[in-house]
Amino acid sequence: MTGLASPTLRKAAPTAGTTPGTSQGPPAPRPRRTALLPTAALVLGALYCLLPVAWVLVAATKADDELFSTFTLLPGSGLGDNIGELTRYRDGIYWRWMANSVLYAGLGGILSTIVSAFAGYALAVYRFRGREAFFNIMLAGVLMPPVILAIPQYLLMAEADLTDTYASVLLPLVLSPYGVYLGRIYAEAAVPMELVEAARVDGAGEWRIFLRIAVPMMAPGLVTIFLFQFVAIWNNFLLPFIMLGDDEKFPMTVGLFTLLKQGASQPALYTLVITGALLAIVPLIALFLLIQRFWSLDLLSGAVKS
Amino acid sequence: MTQPPKGARRSYGVKAAPYGFLLPAAVLFALFFALPIGYAVWISFHKVEIKGLGLGKGAKSEVWAGLENYTSALTDSELLASALRVLGYGAIVVPVMLGLALFFALLLDSERVRARSFARLAIFLPYAVPGVIAAVLWGFLYLPDVSPFHYLLDKAGLPQPDLMDGGPLYLAMSNIAVWGGTGFNMIVIYTALRALPTEVYEAAKLDGCSELQIALRIKIPMVVPSLVLTFFFSIIATLQVFNEPMTLKPLTNGIPSTWSPLMKVYSDAFTGGNIYAASATAVVLALATFALSFALLRISNRRTTQGAGR
């Protein structure tokens, strides 16, 4: 795990736009031509990643009869109709799935961030018995295949009469070992021990120190944990798939899966699946683009710059 | 400790505080990790015994089965077949995905390359797309009736491969994983590259080393720990593949309901209704994952001089 927590010594990488010669100190780099081949490779990679998104964007505009008859990359005329059709399908159950996903991912993300912040802060700031043991047991949880958890979780939930409830999907996802790991890394990097000690000398209680000093300093890390959890829960399929029977409580992933499964026997539903897939990824992509400035991708890998 | 009396009380608070902060995580861990795991292990050693016709109360009872479920799990040819399928799939996914992630990370880190922030975001984008939806999108791209590839092949008069069956299915399935996972791994490796001090390769640059040489001789060796980490997580994720084959299944006859080991566990437990056998299989898979993880960690600790940060 080296390289994850090491503070960066490196100066800001020269950006593509800087003019050569203005930098002092290090020897002037060779004239900065654009390296065509590497740039082309990078753009090719980007296009490969955008291809299915571009396809679904176009396919969602096609009416039923156009989907199988016109060239795939030619836009159709039916986007509005398709969305209307999707909205009418079983009294707007699609939007219900969307709202459920927002609920699971939003509430789950918030709770998960709080738990991770607590645990991460405790592991980073205090020296206490069982600290490493706790951390290692928690990390071993990362290795647990979801299915070995999901079956007994289902059976235990059934014992407690909780299957097919919102809680059965929400509760097991609140604790994320990876979130705790990130919380620890961020707290270690962002909260100086001297400050904690100083606050103690001034008579502040531990809770107050956490709330007033640590939380503001950990804020960028906490945003990252929240987003990571949000995406993880939004993308989750197995747990709701096992826990839920009533499709009114389905998140988007399970809902679209059932729709696709029905579509296998009624191809008319394919248009709905495609439109649904598009509408399901648009909010997440928009969220990504919007919060880019608040969220450094680097933080996701656990690297912290001091 | 020469602290005033008040400080003594405070230091008690300091001692108790970490346990308070850890309480929510510990309770959740106990309820949703430890308890289910214990229960799964307990169940895996049991079976249902049916008395008489199996009707009425008390006709079915859980009895100790010993290793019975385990021996049948380990001798199950379907489980072996699914494990082999996933190993074959992993043998494609892991090297291709990490190779691409490393390649793109090095490109992002090199000078004179344009369109960096666009590429970085675009390649990372699939991370935001749920596996189920990724499989839906690619599934349609593979479906002869809708696929632009098939359209082009058809127009060119070339044969159109069935991507959803037999050998090509591995490629089709791997492609979805590579598409979804390259960006995340790229970010991890790129972050490690950015953390390297530039001084390390200034000298090499002065000596006239090309970017390629610097990448091969200096950068790659220095990010080995991140590569080990991404390798480790990719292997685990690959062994646990479930969402994508499950989603593609309705689109083809080429994917059996036991395609991957997790699908096998799922179908045993919920379609077949034998939670005892399914639990034993799940425990076997978990133990295999652990064994593999420890073996990988041992090897990587020995190979990387920098260790694992601890």
Side-chain angles (χ1 to χ4, degrees):
Chain A
M1 303 192 180
T2 320
L4 291 183
S6 57
T8 45
L9 301 167
R10 187 177 185 178
K11 292 168 221 83
T15 45
T18 45
T19 41
T22 49
S23 60
Q24 303 143 338
R30 279 168 299 167
R32 214 162 275 167
R33 294 168 292 119
T34 301
L36 279 180
L37 221 59
T39 306
L42 210 50
V43 169
L44 219 60
L47 291 180
Y48 161 68
C49 288
L50 292 177
L51 172 76
V53 180
W55 177 82
V56 75
L57 205 61
V58 175
T61 64
K62 295 185 187 213
D64 275 347
D65 53 331
E66 292 170 329
L67 183 62
F68 295 101
S69 60
T70 59
F71 176 57
T72 30
L73 292 181
L74 207 70
S77 55
L79 181 63
D81 287 349
N82 288 343
I83 294 177
E85 191 82 28
L86 187 65
T87 303
R88 277 189 301 279
Y89 177 72
R90 301 216 16 235
D91 295 328
I93 193 149
Y94 177 84
W95 298 106
R96 180 85 196 225
W97 295 336
M98 186 79 101
N100 286 339
S101 271
V102 171
L103 178 80
Y104 290 128
L107 192 58
I110 290 171
L111 293 174
S112 190
T113 308
I114 295 173
V115 171
S116 301
F118 278 175
Y121 176 76
L123 291 167
V125 166
Y126 298 95
R127 299 285 167 271
F128 58 92
R129 277 177 70 109
R131 175 167 160 269
E132 286 310 311
F134 181 90
F135 187 61
N136 288 334
I137 292 173
M138 196 68 92
L139 278 191
V142 178
L143 300 178
M144 225 16 112
V147 126
I148 196 188
L149 287 173
I151 294 177
Q153 275 171 352
Y154 172 81
L155 297 171
L156 290 169
M157 284 285 182
E159 288 288 316
D161 241 346
L162 280 172
T163 44
D164 205 15
T165 61
Y166 282 98
S168 67
V169 175
L170 203 53
L171 290 177
L173 295 172
V174 170
L175 179 69
S176 149
Y178 190 60
V180 173
Y181 164 74
L182 287 179
R184 178 184 183 168
I185 301 266
Y186 297 146
E188 260 164 12
V191 186
M193 274 314 286
E194 303 84 51
L195 210 59
V196 174
E197 291 296 344
R200 275 183 197 148
V201 171
D202 286 348
E206 296 303 307
W207 176 244
R208 210 173 132 89
I209 295 173
F210 172 74
L211 272 190
R212 293 293 169 80
I213 296 173
V215 168
M217 297 183 118
M218 289 167 70
L222 295 182
V223 172
T224 304
I225 297 178
F226 171 77
L227 288 168
F228 175 78
Q229 291 307 332
F230 186 93
V231 173
I233 300 175
W234 185 278
N235 292 358
N236 195 326
F237 172 72
L238 185 69
L239 188 74
F241 181 55
I242 286 177
M243 289 289 178
L244 301 175
D246 171 15
D247 61 6
E248 293 271 308
K249 301 187 189 93
F250 281 178
M252 183 54 65
T253 47
V254 183
L256 275 180
F257 173 77
T258 51
L259 202 57
L260 181 73
K261 231 172 138 180
Q262 286 168 7
S265 50
Q266 307 163 249
L269 287 178
Y270 276 167
T271 311
L272 293 189
V273 177
I274 289 169
T275 312
L278 173 69
L279 295 178
I281 55 176
V282 163
L284 269 198
I285 292 176
L287 189 73
F288 260 59
L289 294 175
L290 257 178
I291 51 175
Q292 242 198 108
R293 60 185 68 222
F294 305 110
W295 184 34
S296 158
L297 285 185
D298 301 350
L299 286 174
L300 196 64
S301 64
V304 179
K305 288 178 187 151
S306 42
Chain B
M1 291 284 217
T2 51
Q3 276 188 338
K6 204 183 163 210
R9 214 189 71 221
R10 231 181 21 237
S11 100
Y12 173 73
V14 170
K15 270 193 177 147
Y19 299 106
F21 282 120
L22 286 179
L23 191 67
V27 169
L28 288 168
F29 188 87
L31 278 178
F32 297 110
F33 283 80
L35 187 64
I37 292 166
Y39 190 54
V41 172
W42 188 85
I43 270 191
S44 68
F45 287 105
H46 287 76
K47 63 180 176 186
V48 157
E49 201 174 61
I50 299 171
K51 294 195 184 94
L53 291 171
L55 302 169
K57 246 189 167 182
K60 288 183 184 178
S61 58
E62 271 176 358
V63 295
W64 178 255
L67 290 174
E68 204 176 295
N69 292 325
Y70 285 92
T71 46
S72 59
L74 288 172
T75 53
D76 188 339
S77 61
E78 255 184 282
L79 181 67
L80 182 69
S82 70
L84 289 176
R85 270 192 289 263
V86 162
L87 287 178
Y89 157 85
I92 307 173
V93 173
V94 177
V96 173
M97 178 170 73
L98 294 186
L100 281 178
L102 176 64
F103 177 62
F104 289 136
L106 286 169
L107 289 183
L108 285 179
D109 193 58
S110 65
E111 294 171 22
R112 302 193 295 131
V113 169
R114 298 302 175 103
R116 267 189 283 206
S117 54
F118 161 71
R120 191 165 88 123
L121 200 64
I123 297 172
F124 184 65
L125 195 75
Y127 169 72
V129 178
V132 171
I133 294 181
V136 168
L137 297 183
W138 281 107
F140 280 114
L141 285 170
Y142 298 153
L143 216 58
D145 287 342
V146 233
S147 170
F149 308 123
H150 281 87
Y151 185 88
L152 292 176
L153 288 173
D154 185 38
K155 287 279 143 174
L158 293 168
Q160 304 163 35
D162 181 3
L163 286 166
M164 307 274 260
D165 204 356
L169 177 68
Y170 284 89
L171 294 179
M173 204 79 89
S174 306
N175 174 55
I176 300 177
V178 168
W179 181 78
T182 299
F184 186 87
N185 291 304
M186 174 190 79
I187 293 295
V188 174
I189 300 168
Y190 175 62
T191 309
L193 282 172
R194 291 280 308 271
L196 300 180
T198 31
E199 293 78 36
V200 176
Y201 29 85
E202 289 300 336
K205 226 180 265 177
L206 275 180
D207 289 345
C209 263
S210 68
E211 284 265 352
L212 182 68
Q213 283 168 318
I214 292 177
L216 291 179
R217 304 267 173 84
I218 303 176
K219 288 184 178 176
I220 293 180
M222 288 187 81
V223 294
V224 164
S226 313
L227 288 174
V228 169
L229 188 78
T230 50
F231 180 70
F232 185 66
F233 281 118
S234 308
I235 296 249
I236 292 171
T238 306
L239 294 178
Q240 301 178 353
V241 63
F242 178 84
N243 300 358
E244 292 81 1
M246 198 72 186
T247 311
L248 286 181
K249 209 171 95 62
L251 292 176
T252 170
N253 292 323
I255 303 173
S257 59
T258 55
W259 191 82
S260 85
L262 290 206
M263 286 169 76
K264 159 91 175 130
V265 173
Y266 173 83
S267 77
D268 279 356
F270 296 100
T271 318
N274 192 346
I275 53 169
Y276 306 93
S279 293
T281 312
V283 172
V284 168
L285 291 175
L287 289 177
T289 311
F290 272 118
L292 191 68
S293 309
F294 282 119
L296 285 174
L297 279 182
R298 285 293 287 268
I299 296 167
S300 68
N301 275 342
R302 212 174 301 153
R303 294 286 294 274
T304 55
T305 41
Q306 286 149 305
R310 260 178 280 157

